[in-house]
Amino acid sequence: MTGVSTLSSGDSRIISSAAVEPADRGGRAAAALVAPMVAAACALLLHWGLPSRQSPLPTRLYPMLLAGLLAAAVVLAAVHRAWPRLRPWARHNAPLLAGGIGVLAAWDLITLKLALMPLPYFPGPDMVLVGMVDDRGMLLESAYHSLILLFTGYFAGVAAGLASGILIGWFRGVRYWGMPVLKVIGPIPATAYIPLVMALFSNAFVSGSALIAMAVWFPMTMLTASGVANVPVSYLDVARTLGAGRRYLIFRVAVPAAMPSIFLGLFMGLCTAFLTLIAAETVGVRAGLGWYLKWQQGYVEYAKVYAALIIMAAFFSGLMTLLFAVRDRVLGWQKGMIRW
Amino acid sequence: MSQLNGDATIDDGSSLSLSDVAKFYSSADGSRVHALHGFSLSVAAGEMVSLIGPSGCGKSTLLRLIAGLDRPESGALRVGDAPITDPSAERGLMFQDPNLFPWMSVRRNIQAGLVARGVLHRRRREVDEFLRLVGLEAFADHYPHQLSGGMAQRAALARALINHPKVLLLDEPLGALDQFTRMKMQDEVLRLWRARGTTMVLVTHDIDEAIYMSDRIVVVSPRPGRVEIVIDVALERPRLRNSQPFLKLRAEILDLLHFAGGGSDEAVESAAGRFRGRQS
Ligand SMILES: Nc1ncnc2c1ncn2[C@@H]1O[C@H](COP(=O)(O)OP(=O)(O)OP(=O)(O)O)[C@@H](O)[C@H]1O
Ligand SMILES: [Mg+2]
């Protein structure tokens, strides 16, 4: 639980607390906005100025990326200037952009320029970019396959977890029998079921999504059940004096009141879904980012391994961000109460 | 309940009869709190009764029993001729805390009873009426965390009123309001009470409110809670808050409560006796 609770959505908080900056902070804001431009320029000078000590010699891709980042920094500063409403956003992201460029430059320095890390395991940023561009078709297709498998498994697991969580949380009889089952089989990592699932389903896609669904189902059930079981009695009392029947009590009182807890389950489920997705793709499923990773590792194409890792990071964090956005929308009524 | 769903409104009060009701609460250390003991009271259909008494004397407990949310340890509670067994939309309860559903906007909170009974489509118009009645039309789409305490209380009042219950139990419904809004709300509640003939039981700490609103005032004594004395408010309606009879009754009740609070039993008895003498 703590793992998820630290994943705070910094951006949304910054935007919601959009405030006019005091005048004396103007200097610091300007410095923050100039920082990414300076960082990009330095990275370029470094790349062109120092001799390369690794082969193959770099292409023009990495300087092009840096030029793109420089342009982004300029755009950010322009936005800050011209668009008062986006000012806190620009101010918030400028140092992060500078930091990202700094990481790229450091990476370039310790690999290509100083050759401190051995090849083929630690290629420089240019080699990884080349790998990414060369294999873009394959990478996109893999990402697409991963997405389909992830969504199928995730939504199946969420639906099953919601249903069993509501049943266990609301009905005492179901809880009596359900909790022990949950306690026994829940903590087993879904990947431990790989042999079983592969024996059950001959289709790799089906077994992969079943595996992901199982991984999602457990945290989803646990947190839905605890949310539903812990609905403040006063809300149920109010509803009953208003003439609410069981359906209203469950779906209009208990479930909405349990929403914060349910979202915790959705986040934990998504994390375990990522884990299980990659595991499933490296064993049975013959497509997707996990499979691509394993495949390129087999050919000692580490530049492409890193390319896949970067795509994966973007893919997963994009989905996380999406879920955060959904949460902020659905739990709008909780504004000011959300602390994670 | 089933006949409710067919009806647009419930309306027309039911009588209440409570006889010898007792309610205990047990705490974690095993000791028991005598919330109510030997509490007997009859309320006629369409009557407005106020309960006053010191904090912790069991007023809220009594309302929960009448609402059917809790069961008494002994004694009988009846609404009309039927024993009270379960909560029902016929017996509305406005809780001491507003208890608005935080995930619903003000409008959705107010219409919750209509949705729960499946009659929203026929009575959607009334939601706006009640929003206006409690002065929250501009806040219809706000969420409870955006309301002040008094606004939340008014929303809770509208939510309890919109169901047109036969018996309406109000637990300090106007406690968080300023004097001006409070007087306005008192008049609105009285207007609805007259128009619908609802039986109302009103818990209040405000003696003026009790006198202004009710047909009878029940003074509840603490630990265990039981009926100390019942005062008939024989003033004509609409009542004037600064008329001589109003102020005289107010002084007498204060006198009585003063003795009930600090004096010996004899002092209370003699004050009550004087009181009864003047009433008849
Ligand atoms: N759920 C509970 N568990 C244990 N004791 C309770 C519970 N509810 C009420 N009591 C006890 O019952 C007694 C009566 O409480 P109640 O809430 O009915 O008082 P009240 O007359 O409404 O007071 P107030 O005017 O402060 O609202 C109190 O002594 C209280 O401690
Ligand atoms: Mg109370």
Side-chain angles (χ1 to χ4, degrees):
Chain A
M1 204 166 294
T2 47
V4 171
S5 60
T6 55
L7 292 165
S8 74
S9 60
D11 305 55
S12 65
R13 224 176 299 166
I14 292 295
I15 289 170
S16 68
S17 66
V20 183
E21 285 181 46
D24 59 316
R25 291 256 203 90
R28 282 174 64 189
L33 285 162
V34 169
M37 297 184 221
V38 174
C42 289
L44 270 173
L45 289 177
L46 200 97
H47 184 71
W48 281 325
L50 289 179
S52 300
R53 294 231 222 133
Q54 277 184 346
S55 62
L57 284 174
T59 65
R60 294 215 308 270
L61 272 176
Y62 176 63
M64 274 165 64
L65 174 72
L66 287 178
L69 291 171
L70 182 61
V74 172
V75 168
L76 208 59
V79 162
H80 189 270
R81 196 117 229 245
W83 224 322
R85 283 193 53 203
L86 287 180
R87 211 162 267 178
W89 175 82
R91 171 78 180 77
H92 176 76
N93 285 303
L96 291 175
L97 181 58
I101 295 169
V103 169
L104 276 179
W107 178 15
D108 194 37
L109 193 68
I110 60 177
T111 51
L112 182 69
K113 298 300 171 189
L114 302 179
L116 294 179
M117 307 284 271
L119 279 175
Y121 304 110
F122 300 101
D126 188 67
M127 278 177 77
V128 171
L129 270 177
V130 169
M132 205 182 280
V133 171
D134 280 356
D135 239 6
R136 57 187 180 276
M138 196 71 175
L139 277 166
L140 272 180
E141 204 185 314
S142 298
Y144 172 75
H145 278 288
S146 288
L147 194 70
I148 299 293
L149 184 62
L150 184 78
F151 272 22
T152 312
Y154 184 67
F155 286 121
V158 164
L162 268 178
S164 56
I166 291 170
L167 289 172
I168 289 174
W170 187 263
F171 297 100
R172 208 170 289 175
V174 183
R175 177 151 62 237
Y176 177 84
W177 294 106
M179 276 315 268
V181 175
L182 214 56
K183 276 187 189 150
V184 172
I185 67 166
I188 303 175
T191 44
Y193 293 115
I194 285 176
L196 185 70
V197 169
M198 290 202 340
L200 272 175
F201 308 104
S202 52
N203 184 316
F205 183 82
V206 175
S207 61
S209 39
L211 218 53
I212 295 170
M214 278 168 83
V216 175
W217 171 80
F218 173 62
M220 206 49 211
T221 305
M222 232 20 190
L223 283 150
T224 305
S226 100
V228 167
N230 289 310
V231 171
V233 183
S234 56
Y235 294 147
L236 298 172
D237 283 348
V238 169
R240 293 201 297 156
T241 60
L242 291 173
R246 183 188 281 167
R247 254 184 51 187
Y248 190 95
L249 291 177
I250 294 177
F251 292 106
R252 304 258 189 166
V253 180
V255 170
M259 258 323 164
S261 180
I262 290 175
F263 265 97
L264 217 49
L266 286 172
F267 278 106
M268 292 182 65
L270 193 56
C271 291
T272 58
F274 291 154
L275 266 171
T276 316
L277 170 76
I278 300 308
E281 285 178 344
T282 43
V283 292
V285 185
R286 309 218 145 269
L289 288 171
W291 166 82
Y292 179 90
L293 206 70
K294 183 107 181 161
W295 183 56
Q296 294 299 356
Q297 188 201 357
Y299 287 104
V300 205
E301 287 266 21
Y302 271 79
K304 289 180 180 170
V305 168
Y306 287 103
L309 281 173
I310 290 169
I311 301 278
M312 215 183 265
F315 176 57
F316 288 174
S317 73
L319 288 177
M320 269 293 174
T321 309
L322 195 69
L323 190 53
F324 269 116
V326 172
R327 194 248 349 229
D328 288 349
R329 239 197 115 77
V330 173
L331 294 187
W333 55 269
Q334 253 205 337
K335 271 247 161 71
M337 288 206 266
I338 300 176
R339 274 176 297 273
W340 56 279
Chain B
M1 268 277 287
S2 54
Q3 80 272 18
L4 276 186
N5 296 332
D7 270 330
T9 57
I10 302 167
D11 274 355
D12 284 342
S14 307
S15 63
L16 280 176
S17 93
L18 322 176
S19 55
D20 215 17
V21 172
K23 176 76 191 168
F24 308 116
Y25 285 111
S26 0
S27 40
D29 59 7
S31 67
R32 294 206 300 182
V33 177
H34 245 62
L36 294 170
H37 191 81
F39 196 105
S40 299
L41 180 70
S42 289
V43 181
E47 195 182 8
M48 167 95 71
V49 170
S50 289
L51 299 178
I52 61 175
S55 176
C57 71
K59 304 179 295 293
S60 298
T61 303
L62 188 72
L63 294 198
R64 286 184 63 86
L65 291 174
I66 301 173
L69 290 170
D70 291 329
R71 298 287 184 83
E73 256 66 43
S74 66
L77 295 108
R78 295 176 164 277
V79 54
D81 295 325
I84 293 170
T85 53
D86 284 303
S88 144
E90 295 191 7
R91 274 166 281 120
L93 169 57
M94 181 188 164
F95 291 74
Q96 196 165 357
D97 295 325
N99 272 323
L100 295 176
F101 301 127
W103 56 89
M104 291 185 193
S105 64
V106 169
R107 174 185 296 278
R108 285 179 180 277
N109 263 289
I110 290 177
Q111 68 192 23
L114 303 182
V115 174
R117 289 162 49 221
V119 298
L120 177 68
H121 56 287
R122 262 177 289 144
R123 297 177 47 195
R124 198 178 291 278
R125 219 170 20 84
E126 268 185 71
V127 180
D128 288 301
E129 274 168 37
F130 277 92
L131 272 167
R132 211 169 316 120
L133 185 127
V134 296
L136 289 175
E137 44 306 32
F139 293 87
D141 297 321
H142 283 54
Y143 282 92
H145 77 268
Q146 298 167 306
L147 302 183
S148 72
M151 286 157 81
Q153 202 169 41
R154 281 181 278 147
L157 179 63
R159 180 173 66 176
L161 288 170
I162 204 167
N163 257 356
H164 297 251
K166 287 178 190 289
V167 176
L168 184 57
L169 311 163
L170 300 166
D171 201 344
E172 295 183 43
L174 312 174
L177 302 184
D178 64 281
Q179 192 61 34
F180 178 74
T181 315
R182 172 189 281 243
M183 288 179 357
K184 219 176 82 191
M185 288 294 122
Q186 285 170 355
D187 286 331
E188 292 292 354
V189 171
L190 280 176
R191 193 175 57 74
L192 288 173
W193 169 69
R194 298 198 125 183
R196 300 173 176 179
T198 314
T199 307
M200 290 199 186
V201 180
L202 169 77
V203 171
T204 179
H205 285 303
D206 178 353
I207 293 174
D208 285 29
E209 182 168 281
I211 301 173
Y212 185 70
M213 304 278 287
S214 40
D215 298 321
R216 285 188 297 157
I217 299 172
V218 176
V219 182
V220 183
S221 70
R223 253 160 294 235
R226 60 194 154 68
V227 177
E228 172 92 39
I229 181 169
V230 180
I231 301 160
D232 277 311
V233 185
L235 303 176
E236 269 183 33
R237 294 176 191 269
R239 292 172 179 165
L240 297 172
R241 294 168 207 267
N242 52 5
S243 67
Q244 268 310 313
F246 192 106
L247 294 174
K248 189 157 155 277
L249 184 58
R250 182 174 189 274
E252 285 165 2
I253 293 174
L254 281 174
D255 197 30
L256 178 74
L257 290 182
H258 170 72
F259 282 111
S264 62
D265 281 352
E266 298 90 82
V268 174
E269 256 321 300
S270 77
R274 268 185 286 132
F275 189 88
R276 286 187 197 104
R278 259 176 262 164
Q279 278 254 305
S280 48

